[in-house]
Amino acid sequence: MHQAIRRVADALREAERTLIITGAGLSADSGLPTYRGVSGLYNGTTEDGLPIEAALSGPMLQHDPALCWKYLAEIGRACLNGHPNAGHRAIARLQRRHLGCWVLTQNVDGYHLAAGSPQDRLIEIHGTLAPLYCMNCRRLDDVLATRLTGPLPPRCEYCAGVLRPPVVLFEEPLPSAALAQLQAQVARGFDAVLAIGTSASFAYIVEPLLRVQQAGGFTAQIDPMVSELSGQVDVHLMAGASDVLPQLIRHIFPD
């Protein structure tokens, strides 16, 4: 493991442009549930007898907002009760020292920003939990914590429409601005890609990785589980991100 960590650290140190892709596994050490994998709450069906992909979908929010909000609120409360962990802080330190380092996150918890990652090099491809907005009149609502402890679904104070967070639910398209930003950076090219805590095989994750490989760059994954990505990267570190990332950063910046 030590040799593999050194290899990843050397590659990140030498890279002029690096893309770090993060998923739910990174925030697992902050106490947040993952959809899949270790401690995944939704391996199988929810207590309502539905796959989480159905319960947390755009159509469900329209058809049965109370049921959809039952699970949105669960995620929201977990995010508000947690904090960035050592992995988030290590990534933020790398970004502050390495101006060519970008973060693409699938997470909606806001922990990258809270840990100090620069907003102008952070792509939150699945949106964020706040501020809520009304699906009817589009007014913003800034009291997420209060809404999560009240009746569900939360409703607009002006028109009684259902509120929702600016997150991407299942069966909804990715936000065009974030997608355009990602595509522009991928077109510029990266020398290294590091995937952390994600087992997803979505095109926006696989494409940057494959492009770097085709250009002779370096790819790595940090995840205690084996996934589809594991067989595609140069190095797979089978460990928790909050353990490995601080070690990586100490190798890159020994001072």
Side-chain angles (χ1 to χ4, degrees), residues 32-98:
L32 268 61
T34 60
Y35 289 131
R36 301 285 184 262
V38 177
S39 300
L41 294 185
Y42 309 123
N43 291 323
T45 58
T46 65
E47 63 183 47
D48 294 286
L50 294 169
I52 192 61
E53 292 88 351
L56 275 176
S57 68
M60 185 60 73
L61 183 60
Q62 297 284 347
H63 174 70
D64 190 343
L67 190 148
C68 185
W69 259 102
K70 175 181 177 180
Y71 295 98
L72 279 174
E74 179 181 352
I75 293 171
R77 286 190 288 266
C79 291
L80 291 180
N81 289 331
H83 304 279
N85 60 51
H88 296 99
R89 293 191 292 273
I91 291 171
R93 184 182 174 199
L94 177 60
Q95 283 196 283
R96 290 194 298 269
R97 298 282 294 270
H98 179 13

Side-chain angles (χ1 to χ4, degrees), residues 104-107 123-127 168 173-175 178-180 182 204:
L104 165 66
T105 186
Q106 298 172 278
N107 301 334
I123 302 173
E124 295 170 307
I125 199 71
H126 288 173
V168 178
L174 296 174
L179 191 57
L182 173 61
Y204 61 83

